[in-house]
């Protein structure tokens, strides 16, 4: 009991902790640009909400494939349904805002399957890794650097993979018009949820949580100009680390020019996804501390560490090949009206099935 109590900071000192963490973060991050502060604030809010609402994506796949219970995963379709109401029309019609649209082909399918394996043996996806890190999870502190490294490895093969035969991008607003594309998008999300639920009624708390998260995802889009993405920020962290070790990534096609080279050679926070990742960790840290739910005292063991490392590496490679994770590919793609977001979920399922059966090797049930 004493050890459990010692793991959580005294609530009486919580205001000081909040101010200290935020102040230190701002100083370390060098946020001299006041325009970045709303982005950091919304990302921190999102990280806190994931902890308070106990929200995540990985467990929903597992409950569907193991217990045949689709209520959790079915409720997660609410998030892109809410986000699409703003992201699709604003990203299509308003200058200065963008959407995530990507081609459907072998990289997407293979990458999503690899990501599915990785998130099950690491026991966390992109957002789950960062949120659990903020909560103090030792497993995710192991998974993160390998996730970043995997993103770099995936970036090296992505240009060649994109030259394989593919169906191209299927942009629903381009096919059906802005409002027709929105209607088709919402219809596909509803059909996906009903298919997963198979007649069951989703849990009320998960539905409400999905609605709340969807609203904050819209807010993040409004302050950043793009849908929420995680994995490119992690790939950039890995890329800058590799550069610092002396390997010139600009010799490789992915990093040779354009915005990726600018991000690689520029400040770490030049990419909004990098800043939102940091905000997600900080928000989760503050929420976990406030609730006495820090997890840094939970042991991991060598099998858990191995699963985290291998899972992180697979998630990094898979995310780069498939243009993101549950957040960037599914949530960002579907809410943008891009068909690749829906294909990503279907392709991730077999990977999750394999990953679930590998979990006992790494000490997971």
């Amino acid at each position: 009991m004493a050890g459990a109590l010692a793991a959580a900071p005294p609530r009486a000192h919580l205001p000081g902790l909040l101010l200290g963490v935020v102040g230190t973060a701002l100083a370390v991050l060098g946020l001299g640009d006041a325009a970045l502060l709303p982005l950091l604030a919304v990302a921190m809010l999102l990280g806190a909400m994931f902890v308070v609402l106990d929200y995540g994506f990985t467990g929903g796949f597992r409950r569907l494939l193991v217990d045949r219970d689709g209520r959790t995963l079915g409720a997660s379709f609410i998030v892109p349904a809410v986000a699409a109401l703003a992201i699709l029309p604003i990203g299509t019609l308003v200058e200065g805002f963008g959407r995530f649209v990507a081609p459907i082909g072998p990289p997407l399918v293979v990458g999503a399957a690899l990501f599915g394996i990785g998130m099950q043996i690491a026991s966390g996806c992109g957002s789950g890794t960062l949120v659990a890190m903020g909560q103090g999870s030792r497993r995710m502190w192991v998974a993160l650097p390998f996730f970043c490294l995997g993103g770099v490895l995936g970036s090296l093969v992505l240009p060649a993979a994109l030259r394989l035969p593919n169906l191209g991008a299927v942009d629903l607003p381009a096919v059906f018009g802005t409002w027709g594309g929105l209607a088709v998008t919402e219809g596909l999300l509803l059909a996906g949820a009903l298919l997963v639920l198979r007649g069951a009624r989703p849990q009320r708390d998960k539905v409400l949580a999905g609605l709340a998260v969807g609203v904050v995802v819209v807010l993040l889009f409004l302050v950043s100009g793009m849908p929420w993405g995680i994995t490119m920020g992690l790939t950039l962290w890995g890329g800058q680390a590799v550069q610092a070790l002396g390997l010139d990534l600009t010799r490789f096609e992915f990093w040779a020019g354009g915005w990726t080279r600018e991000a690689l050679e520029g400040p770490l926070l030049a990419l909004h996804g990098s800043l939102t990742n940091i905000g997600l960790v900080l928000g989760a840290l503050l929420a976990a501390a406030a609730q006495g739910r820090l997890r840094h005292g939970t042991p991991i063991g060598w099998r858990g560490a191995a699963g985290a490392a291998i899972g992180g590496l697979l998630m990094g490679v898979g995310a780069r090949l498939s243009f993101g994770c549950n957040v960037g590919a599914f949530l960002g793609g579907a809410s943008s009206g891009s068909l690749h977001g829906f294909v990503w979920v279907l392709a991730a399922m077999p990977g999750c099935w394999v990953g679930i059966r590998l979990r006992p090797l790494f000490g997971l049930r």
Side-chain angles (χ1 to χ4, degrees):
M1 179 65 71
L5 293 175
R11 292 179 183 271
H13 301 298
L14 184 58
L17 174 68
L18 299 180
L19 293 175
V21 170
V22 174
T24 301
L26 296 180
V28 171
L29 298 177
L31 290 178
D33 184 356
L36 294 177
L37 293 178
L39 183 60
L40 178 65
V42 175
M44 290 177 66
L45 173 61
L46 196 54
M49 288 178 64
F50 269 68
V51 173
V52 173
L53 299 173
D54 193 22
Y55 197 82
F57 297 100
T58 305
F61 286 93
R62 197 157 56 246
R63 291 188 185 96
L64 174 66
L65 295 173
V66 174
D67 303 324
R68 301 294 188 264
D69 182 355
R71 291 177 297 168
T72 299
L73 185 60
S76 69
F77 279 75
I78 293 172
V79 182
V82 171
L85 296 174
I87 292 175
L88 193 154
I90 294 176
T92 303
L93 301 173
V94 180
E95 186 177 354
F97 289 88
R99 298 177 294 122
F100 289 164
V101 180
I104 299 171
L108 174 66
V109 175
V110 173
L114 289 176
F115 191 92
I117 298 172
M119 75 171 168
Q120 293 301 331
I121 64 176
S123 210
C125 57
S127 58
T129 296
L130 295 173
V131 169
M133 274 185 60
Q135 293 176 283
S137 168
R138 296 182 186 183
R139 181 184 299 275
M140 296 313 168
W141 280 98
V142 173
L144 181 72
F146 287 93
F147 200 138
C148 298
L149 175 61
V152 175
L153 295 176
S155 73
L156 303 184
V157 300
L158 178 61
L162 288 176
R163 286 191 281 271
L164 295 172
N166 63 76
L167 300 178
V170 181
D171 184 9
L172 297 177
V175 176
F176 299 103
T178 299
W179 304 111
L182 177 60
V184 173
T185 296
E186 297 291 2
L188 287 174
L189 287 168
L190 176 60
L194 293 175
L195 181 64
V196 168
L197 289 168
R198 294 184 303 169
R201 175 175 291 184
Q203 297 164 298
R204 183 174 181 272
D205 59 334
K206 296 299 183 184
V207 171
L208 295 177
L211 289 171
V213 171
V215 170
V216 180
V217 167
V218 169
L219 184 58
L220 190 67
F221 168 73
L222 294 176
V223 298
S224 71
M226 291 294 291
W228 180 25
I230 287 178
T231 62
M232 188 58 214
L234 299 183
T235 299
L236 178 61
W237 293 1
Q240 292 202 352
V242 168
Q243 285 280 102
L245 293 175
L247 177 62
D248 183 12
L249 288 178
T250 60
R251 293 182 296 137
F252 297 91
E253 185 177 351
F254 182 87
W255 302 98
W259 68 270
T260 53
R261 179 162 185 164
E262 291 178 6
L264 183 65
E265 296 179 341
L268 188 63
L269 300 181
L271 189 71
H272 281 181
S274 179
L275 180 59
T276 56
N277 288 349
I278 293 171
L280 205 67
V281 174
L282 291 175
L285 168 63
L286 296 178
Q291 294 189 323
R293 294 171 58 187
L294 291 173
R295 296 158 47 185
H296 59 274
T298 304
I300 178 175
W302 72 266
R303 287 202 298 169
I310 297 171
L313 193 69
L314 289 174
M315 284 194 291
V317 173
R320 201 68 291 116
L321 290 177
S322 62
F323 316 106
C325 59
N326 295 283
V327 170
F330 171 50
L331 171 54
S335 62
S336 295
S338 178
L339 198 60
H340 87 275
F342 300 93
V343 174
W344 189 95
V345 175
L346 294 175
M349 287 287 184
C352 287
W353 186 89
V354 172
I356 288 168
R357 279 144 186 82
L358 294 175
R359 283 170 63 86
L361 296 177
F362 303 104
L364 299 168
R365 67 178 180 85

